[in-house]
Amino acid sequence: MIDPTPLVKKFLLHLPPPSLRDNTAEIDRLKKQLMGFGGLEHLTVPLAEIPRWVSILRKTDYRVTATVSLAAYAPQLIEVEPGDARANLFGLAVDLGTTRIAFQLWDLHQGVLIGEIDRPNPQVCFGPDILTRIQVAENPEGLRELRDGVVEEINRALAFLSGEHSLSSQDIYALTLAGNTTMVHLFLGLDPSTIRREPYIPLINSLDPLSARELGLNLHPLGTVVIFPNVGSYLGGDLISGIGFSRLRDQEALSLLVDVGTNAEVVLGNSQWLVGCAGAAGPALEGGVARMGMAAGNGAIEQVRIDPKTKQLTYKLIGPGPPAGICGSGLIDLVAEMFLADLIDIQGKFNLNIPSERWTRVEDRPAYLLVTAEETLNGRLLVFSQVDLDILLRSKAAMYTILTTLVQSVGFGLSDIERFYIAGAFGNHIDPERAITIGLLPDLPRERFIPLGNASLKGAAELLLDRRRLDEMKTIARTITYLEMNVNQDFMNRFSAARFIPHTDPTLFPSVQRKR
Amino acid sequence: MIDPTPLVKKFLLHLPPPSLRDNTAEIDRLKKQLMGFGGLEHLTVPLAEIPRWVSILRKTDYRVTATVSLAAYAPQLIEVEPGDARANLFGLAVDLGTTRIAFQLWDLHQGVLIGEIDRPNPQVCFGPDILTRIQVAENPEGLRELRDGVVEEINRALAFLSGEHSLSSQDIYALTLAGNTTMVHLFLGLDPSTIRREPYIPLINSLDPLSARELGLNLHPLGTVVIFPNVGSYLGGDLISGIGFSRLRDQEALSLLVDVGTNAEVVLGNSQWLVGCAGAAGPALEGGVARMGMAAGNGAIEQVRIDPKTKQLTYKLIGPGPPAGICGSGLIDLVAEMFLADLIDIQGKFNLNIPSERWTRVEDRPAYLLVTAEETLNGRLLVFSQVDLDILLRSKAAMYTILTTLVQSVGFGLSDIERFYIAGAFGNHIDPERAITIGLLPDLPRERFIPLGNASLKGAAELLLDRRRLDEMKTIARTITYLEMNVNQDFMNRFSAARFIPHTDPTLFPSVQRKR
């Protein structure tokens, strides 16, 4: 197999020096040798760089490294450097989430991941959810601030990652970004207001490759920025990227992919067809619950066990500790274990009749103590309140309702799903067993669940490394039929039923029934 | 036959309005309908214009005119206007000569020429010839001034022509420009200094389409600017344009095209092959002789007759008069007629022994009076001095020497040329009979001479009207073998012989011999 070609590529050139017998112009001489590598017939050269590049050619005796972006329909020459600079070729993959932004820095020469970080989306200070931010963006000043916040955060990540790995951010020649439709609009400074108003029309779905310079990003100024296309107002490029990463389209089997984020985006299909829909699930499943939630990272409680008899609680942290909060998968574990230990009833209320030393009160409401103030990182109690529980249950109910609505709308049942991909920041950590217990995921044979982790980020990284994913990305976007989730009485009835644990209809969750 | 497609094209669109059943994004909706016209699959859309265009879509109930540039490998959306604006589609063709700049404004919707002007190249004040200007450009400040001068002149022409024809310069969406290699470098602000130093290497020959905005040109900011490619330092895009216009490549017969300008550019070939070369001829043949020369235009003497017996002189003007100067074709006529009337001898000296009332002196040197001060436009004498004659004879000798050198270098003789195309600003006016008399053109059967006029300008205009000429333009540039004119002793000997009238070897010009 031929090695995949990254989105940007470097070529070592040694041009024949000019002579009376070969008086090809300097840049044409360079282009001519590049043509020899194939596929570069329509190479474009930016006028403004020509004097600098010609001077490099002449100074180096025509031994240079040329960097070409292969992202657009016509390849573009984006840098000429003295000598052999092929080793310095990096790319950044970005998953631009509503709540968090995740980054991976890749060495595109060697094809290896060299750094990874995850940051809160600074827009959170304007509002936790998409709708609030769209409101902020209705004011041009607000739109600019939202835009600048994300651009600056990406620039901080670029500076941090390149600093940490002792490389020049000028050697980062490509950036791929996947986000939901609103996040992409805000990142580009495009007014997203029609996204939240019927008939929910974005300004643009399919974007041409852009240059880092025009977006104000501090990688190489002519570095290529590729943004995954959106499908609808609530079905974004993050899902397109995740579908690509899952290889869902390579299979005959009926598969479902759910991207669990602040929005729940779901796609169902196989190699023949794809249908998708999306709805707000809230930030709870990403660990975005106000009091003690956090993203999966150092100090996060990711696993909880409660002995049904003694009600004794144990937990597992990510990293060495001390505990700092609880992430999405930890929360699901917590609720599932509390439910199985009778500490939470089927209606989602704390069962205060069951004695436990952990019952406490916060702001005069019942709460469950997870970690005492002495044990935590910041000296504050880690408690789980009825309010937190209500939020989580709304999120899980929304998720389950969206899943069932989509699957039923195309004439299938949940049990027909042969592969169930779970994407999202916490997809790696989620325990399907406990997610089923609380009724977040349907009660399918466990081997059908395939956690993908942050599939949006991973799909973006794949695109950095293999430009053929560009076509796949466009095919996916073109193939998906977007189903507008009609929040009618029927939907609301299903949602209400799904707010129970695991559900008002226990026969939907036979394995959970057997446990109690 | 399908009508040719211009370089930029307008499409009238009436998009289905957004609805819950069709929630395609605004710009994607527009792209989708454009795709229906075919050939626009890879259409790019500039990010910065999206908000404005979407707002036009919404305000006009989705009835708009979209303007697409078809110049680059990927077509580009460059404007969206309310309603039906198809009629407002104009383009400017520019022949950027060393001495003069010629412009044609075309209505690309109707395919008709609507205005034409011709201006001195403002760079002339820095020096009449290419070499002087290259020296000026070695200083970055000088380069900028040379660049700005031409850009401003083009902007003045844009303002003048659009004003004169009551159209908005914003409706000019395309500009094609043909010029010699140095002129193009200066226009783009590229240092041309290596053009005049062995091995004579330009910075770039083949240019990508540019936007008017990046060049500072006041047509539509996203209007497409296409510059004809150069072949060598002394074989420019003006010749490529002229070859295209001549259809030389469509024929089996051996043809020669000479573009008579400040530089003489010559190409020989047929449908199978092309060889070209170039050399300095000086501005004399364009009417650029200091004292009384002018471009072919109102008030220019374009034809001269002298009765060989009475020595009586008559002339014909372009336009109604009064006389303002003499253009290139008038000068050739003048010298030919003076020679046939014995007023100039075979060595190119005034024959003061032949009595004529027109002999006079200027700055203490012999001169020949053409028009008295009372009769001229500006009240100054029109005289032709020995200095003027010497300059003209050097130019014609250079031209003839270049012609013979090229033809002989590929094993042919001048008499093998079956079609002899004469391009250049004065190509329409030149009288081959008299050009042969002075030895500027070879003594071939007269019907072989085909005057093309300003073929460079006409080729540029054809490209505006028919984008398929883009491929032809690239094919020509790729096909030509450029022969560096080696100014050795052999060349100098030929040049000295050609300074005589018509030549030291009269057997080369039998028809001239018969006249005397």
Side-chain angles (χ1 to χ4, degrees):
Chain A
M1 202 193 87
I2 297 162
D3 277 346
T5 305
L7 216 44
V8 286
K9 197 166 172 183
K10 286 193 166 185
F11 299 89
L12 180 63
L13 306 178
H14 199 167
L15 314 181
S19 72
L20 274 177
R21 273 176 308 179
D22 175 13
N23 61 359
T24 312
E26 301 285 24
I27 294 292
D28 299 69
R29 174 182 307 279
L30 191 148
K31 282 168 80 172
K32 204 167 161 185
Q33 198 171 75
L34 275 172
M35 298 301 142
F37 290 97
L40 299 176
E41 287 71 26
H42 298 277
L43 187 77
T44 65
V45 180
L47 176 63
E49 305 298 327
I50 291 174
R52 184 169 64 88
W53 292 346
V54 167
S55 136
I56 289 170
L57 281 175
R58 289 171 180 166
K59 276 186 197 144
T60 59
D61 211 14
Y62 297 85
R63 192 177 158 82
V64 296
T65 301
T67 307
V68 174
S69 165
L70 301 166
Y73 186 52
Q76 195 193 12
L77 185 61
I78 57 175
E79 189 53 288
V80 173
E81 296 166 278
D84 186 354
R86 283 175 297 176
N88 301 321
L89 182 68
F90 303 94
L92 189 76
V94 181
D95 169 47
L96 175 54
T98 307
T99 308
R100 306 203 55 94
I101 314 179
F103 303 91
Q104 281 188 347
L105 180 66
W106 283 79
D107 179 332
L108 303 182
H109 180 62
Q110 301 196 50
V112 294
L113 175 66
I114 56 176
E116 187 163 15
I117 52 167
D118 183 276
R119 296 267 188 243
N121 185 329
Q123 295 175 346
V124 166
C125 67
F126 290 93
D129 57 39
I130 284 178
L131 295 189
T132 328
R133 291 193 218 161
I134 291 178
Q135 281 168 340
V136 172
E138 279 177 4
N139 176 333
E141 182 64 31
L143 177 58
R144 191 159 52 244
E145 282 184 48
L146 289 169
R147 191 201 107 84
D148 291 353
V150 167
V151 169
E152 283 161 21
E153 193 61 49
I154 297 176
N155 283 338
R156 271 192 293 274
L158 281 163
F160 174 81
L161 284 167
S162 52
E164 194 179 44
H165 299 282
S166 306
L167 54 96
S168 161
S169 59
Q170 299 299 295
D171 287 332
I172 303 175
Y173 289 94
L175 186 149
T176 51
L177 182 142
N180 64 55
T181 308
T182 301
M183 286 304 111
V184 166
H185 274 62
L186 295 177
F187 170 62
L188 296 173
L190 297 175
D191 174 10
S193 57
T194 51
I195 289 179
R196 74 182 188 109
R197 283 199 294 267
E198 207 179 302
Y200 316 114
I201 307 296
L203 265 58
I204 188 162
N205 279 335
S206 62
L207 288 148
D208 302 314
L210 297 157
S211 74
R213 183 190 280 145
E214 64 188 304
L215 293 171
L217 295 173
N218 296 339
L219 44 157
H220 188 284
L222 294 180
T224 287
V225 178
V226 176
I227 297 171
F228 280 77
N230 308 305
V231 172
S233 278
Y234 291 103
L235 219 163
D238 47 357
L239 191 68
I240 304 297
S241 177
I243 295 167
F245 179 71
S246 74
R247 303 293 190 273
L248 193 151
R249 274 190 69 247
D250 297 354
Q251 304 158 25
E252 289 296 320
L254 183 68
S255 301
L256 184 140
L257 169 76
V258 51
D259 192 328
V260 186
T262 311
N263 252 21
E265 300 178 336
V266 188
V267 67
L268 182 73
N270 58 21
S271 53
Q272 306 297 314
W273 54 272
L274 294 171
V275 292
C277 75
L285 301 174
E286 283 187 297
V289 172
R291 197 175 304 276
M292 59 169 197
M294 66 180 285
N298 261 342
I301 295 175
E302 61 160 347
Q303 200 189 74
V304 176
R305 292 291 176 268
I306 299 174
D307 187 299
K309 289 191 189 113
T310 65
K311 318 295 178 199
Q312 198 68 36
L313 179 143
T314 52
Y315 59 77
K316 222 172 89 182
L317 295 175
I318 300 177
I326 187 165
C327 66
S329 62
L331 269 178
I332 290 165
D333 260 29
L334 175 63
V335 176
E337 293 286 315
M338 285 181 78
F339 173 69
L340 293 177
D342 255 351
L343 295 166
I344 296 176
D345 67 18
I346 191 171
Q347 290 182 295
K349 298 293 162 205
F350 284 149
N351 204 348
L352 300 172
N353 300 328
I354 304 294
S356 162
E357 66 215 9
R358 290 181 179 270
W359 290 129
T360 176
R361 292 187 81 80
V362 168
E363 288 166 11
D364 212 33
R365 287 178 184 190
Y368 183 78
L369 179 71
L370 265 169
V371 187
T372 61
E374 296 81 52
E375 293 172 87
T376 62
L377 183 66
N378 58 8
R380 288 172 58 196
L381 287 175
L382 273 187
V383 293
F384 182 58
S385 71
Q386 182 67 53
V387 176
D388 295 335
L389 177 55
D390 291 346
I391 293 170
L392 185 79
L393 292 180
R394 273 203 301 278
S395 288
K396 80 100 185 169
M399 175 67 75
Y400 186 81
T401 311
I402 292 167
L403 288 180
T404 43
T405 305
L406 176 67
V407 173
Q408 288 174 13
S409 73
V410 287
F412 287 96
L414 287 170
S415 58
D416 296 320
I417 301 167
E418 294 186 50
R419 289 164 194 260
F420 195 119
Y421 295 101
I422 306 167
F426 83 132
N428 263 339
H429 300 278
I430 201 170
D431 175 359
E433 192 59 47
R434 282 165 182 82
I436 292 165
T437 300
I438 68 164
L440 170 65
L441 297 180
D443 195 355
L444 299 176
R446 307 307 185 252
E447 69 277 10
R448 297 194 189 173
F449 292 100
I450 304 157
L452 296 178
N454 189 342
S456 162
L457 181 62
K458 291 177 183 174
E462 277 194 333
L463 177 58
L464 282 176
L465 292 160
D466 184 359
R467 66 176 296 270
R468 292 170 304 183
R469 303 303 296 169
L470 278 172
D471 291 332
E472 178 67 9
M473 157 187 119
K474 287 173 194 164
T475 305
I476 293 169
R478 210 171 38 235
T479 305
I480 294 189
T481 303
Y482 177 59
L483 296 181
E484 193 64 57
M485 190 59 57
N486 202 352
V487 184
N488 52 20
Q489 193 54 46
D490 212 39
F491 183 93
M492 287 314 296
N493 291 346
R494 273 196 222 111
F495 175 72
S496 299
R499 281 178 70 176
F500 286 68
I501 303 178
H503 197 272
T504 46
D505 179 0
T507 64
L508 293 173
F509 289 86
S511 77
V512 180
Q513 266 189 296
R514 281 193 297 275
K515 283 185 194 164
R516 298 192 82 207
Chain B
M1 201 194 85
I2 298 163
D3 276 349
T5 305
L7 214 44
V8 286
K9 196 166 173 184
K10 285 192 167 186
F11 298 90
L12 179 63
L13 306 178
H14 197 168
L15 313 182
S19 71
L20 274 175
R21 274 177 308 182
D22 176 12
N23 61 0
T24 311
E26 302 285 25
I27 294 293
D28 298 70
R29 173 181 308 277
L30 192 149
K31 281 168 81 172
K32 205 167 160 185
Q33 198 171 77
L34 275 172
M35 298 301 142
F37 291 97
L40 300 177
E41 288 70 27
H42 297 278
L43 186 77
T44 65
V45 179
L47 176 63
E49 307 297 327
I50 290 174
R52 184 168 66 86
W53 291 347
V54 168
S55 138
I56 290 170
L57 281 175
R58 290 173 180 165
K59 277 186 199 145
T60 59
D61 210 15
Y62 297 87
R63 191 177 158 82
V64 295
T65 301
T67 308
V68 174
S69 165
L70 301 166
Y73 185 51
Q76 196 193 9
L77 185 62
I78 58 175
E79 189 54 286
V80 174
E81 296 166 277
D84 185 354
R86 282 175 299 177
N88 301 321
L89 183 68
F90 303 94
L92 189 78
V94 182
D95 169 48
L96 175 54
T98 307
T99 307
R100 306 205 52 96
I101 315 181
F103 304 90
Q104 280 188 347
L105 179 65
W106 282 79
D107 179 333
L108 303 182
H109 180 62
Q110 301 197 50
V112 294
L113 176 65
I114 55 176
E116 186 163 18
I117 52 168
D118 182 278
R119 297 266 186 243
N121 184 329
Q123 294 174 346
V124 166
C125 68
F126 290 94
D129 58 39
I130 284 177
L131 295 189
T132 327
R133 292 194 218 159
I134 292 178
Q135 281 168 339
V136 173
E138 279 176 5
N139 175 333
E141 181 64 32
L143 176 58
R144 192 159 50 246
E145 284 185 48
L146 289 169
R147 192 201 107 84
D148 291 352
V150 167
V151 169
E152 283 161 22
E153 194 59 49
I154 297 176
N155 283 338
R156 271 192 292 273
L158 281 163
F160 175 80
L161 285 168
S162 51
E164 194 178 44
H165 299 282
S166 306
L167 54 96
S168 161
S169 59
Q170 298 300 294
D171 287 332
I172 303 175
Y173 289 93
L175 187 150
T176 52
L177 182 144
N180 65 53
T181 308
T182 301
M183 286 304 112
V184 167
H185 274 62
L186 295 177
F187 170 62
L188 297 173
L190 296 175
D191 174 12
S193 56
T194 50
I195 289 179
R196 74 181 190 110
R197 283 200 295 267
E198 209 180 297
Y200 315 114
I201 306 297
L203 264 57
I204 187 161
N205 278 337
S206 61
L207 287 148
D208 302 313
L210 298 157
S211 74
R213 183 188 281 146
E214 67 190 301
L215 292 171
L217 295 174
N218 297 340
L219 46 156
H220 188 285
L222 294 180
T224 287
V225 179
V226 176
I227 298 171
F228 280 76
N230 308 305
V231 173
S233 277
Y234 291 105
L235 217 164
D238 47 357
L239 192 68
I240 303 297
S241 177
I243 295 167
F245 178 72
S246 74
R247 303 292 191 275
L248 193 151
R249 274 189 70 247
D250 297 354
Q251 306 157 22
E252 290 295 321
L254 183 68
S255 300
L256 182 139
L257 169 75
V258 52
D259 191 329
V260 186
T262 313
N263 251 21
E265 299 178 337
V266 188
V267 67
L268 182 74
N270 57 21
S271 54
Q272 306 297 314
W273 54 273
L274 295 171
V275 292
C277 75
L285 301 175
E286 283 187 297
V289 171
R291 195 174 305 276
M292 58 166 195
M294 66 180 285
N298 262 342
I301 295 174
E302 62 161 347
Q303 200 188 76
V304 176
R305 293 289 176 269
I306 298 173
D307 186 300
K309 289 192 188 111
T310 66
K311 315 298 176 199
Q312 198 69 37
L313 178 144
T314 51
Y315 57 79
K316 220 172 88 183
L317 294 177
I318 299 177
I326 187 165
C327 67
S329 62
L331 269 178
I332 291 166
D333 260 28
L334 175 64
V335 176
E337 293 286 313
M338 286 182 77
F339 172 69
L340 293 177
D342 254 352
L343 296 167
I344 296 176
D345 68 17
I346 191 169
Q347 289 181 296
K349 298 292 162 206
F350 285 149
N351 205 346
L352 300 173
N353 301 329
I354 304 294
S356 161
E357 65 214 16
R358 291 181 177 269
W359 290 130
T360 177
R361 293 186 80 80
V362 168
E363 288 167 11
D364 214 34
R365 287 175 183 196
Y368 182 78
L369 179 70
L370 265 169
V371 188
T372 62
E374 296 82 54
E375 294 171 85
T376 62
L377 182 68
N378 58 9
R380 287 173 57 196
L381 286 174
L382 275 186
V383 293
F384 183 59
S385 70
Q386 182 68 53
V387 175
D388 297 332
L389 177 56
D390 291 346
I391 293 171
L392 185 79
L393 292 178
R394 272 203 301 278
S395 289
K396 79 99 186 171
M399 176 66 75
Y400 187 81
T401 310
I402 292 165
L403 287 180
T404 43
T405 305
L406 176 68
V407 173
Q408 288 174 15
S409 72
V410 287
F412 288 95
L414 288 170
S415 59
D416 296 320
I417 301 167
E418 294 186 49
R419 290 166 194 261
F420 196 116
Y421 296 101
I422 305 167
F426 84 129
N428 263 340
H429 301 277
I430 200 171
D431 175 359
E433 193 60 47
R434 281 161 184 85
I436 292 165
T437 300
I438 69 164
L440 170 64
L441 297 179
D443 196 354
L444 298 176
R446 305 307 185 253
E447 68 277 10
R448 296 193 190 176
F449 292 100
I450 304 158
L452 296 178
N454 189 341
S456 163
L457 181 62
K458 291 177 182 175
E462 277 193 333
L463 177 58
L464 282 176
L465 293 161
D466 184 359
R467 66 177 295 273
R468 292 170 304 184
R469 304 303 297 170
L470 278 172
D471 291 334
E472 177 67 9
M473 154 187 123
K474 287 173 193 162
T475 306
I476 293 170
R478 211 172 36 236
T479 306
I480 294 189
T481 303
Y482 177 59
L483 296 181
E484 193 62 60
M485 191 57 58
N486 202 352
V487 184
N488 52 21
Q489 194 53 49
D490 212 36
F491 182 95
M492 287 315 296
N493 290 344
R494 275 197 219 108
F495 174 72
S496 299
R499 282 179 67 177
F500 284 69
I501 304 179
H503 196 273
T504 46
D505 179 0
T507 65
L508 292 173
F509 289 85
S511 78
V512 181
Q513 264 189 300
R514 281 192 298 272
K515 284 185 194 164
R516 297 195 82 208

